């Protein structure tokens, strides 16, 4: 009888942004839009769970 052991890894990222001087809705849009066009975000998309957070 043989036994197979599987190992998994998971990468998680939380991006917290605090842009001073803007309203919350604007900060949320900026973070979402930037995440969509960022080369690093594009490379990680589908491979790393990313949570975005904007606070003003």
């Amino acid at each position: 009888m043989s036994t197979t052991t599987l190992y998994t890894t998971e990468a998680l990222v939380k991006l917290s942004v605090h842009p001073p001087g803007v309203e919350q809705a604007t900060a949320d849009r900026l973070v979402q839009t930037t995440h969509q066009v960022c080369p690093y975000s594009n490379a990680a998309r589908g491979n790393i769970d990313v949570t975005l957070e904007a606070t003003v």
Side-chain angles (χ1 to χ4, degrees), residues 25-53:
T26 302
D28 292 337
R29 280 195 313 275
L30 285 170
V31 170
Q32 285 292 337
T33 301
T34 302
H35 180 58
Q36 293 302 314
V37 298
C38 173
Y40 294 105
S41 293
N42 288 332
R45 193 163 291 120
N47 300 313
I48 299 174
D49 290 333
V50 178
T51 301
L52 303 175
E53 175 185 67

Side-chain angles (χ1 to χ4, degrees), residues 1-7:
M1 181 173 162
S2 70
T3 302
T4 302
T5 303
L6 299 176
Y7 297 94

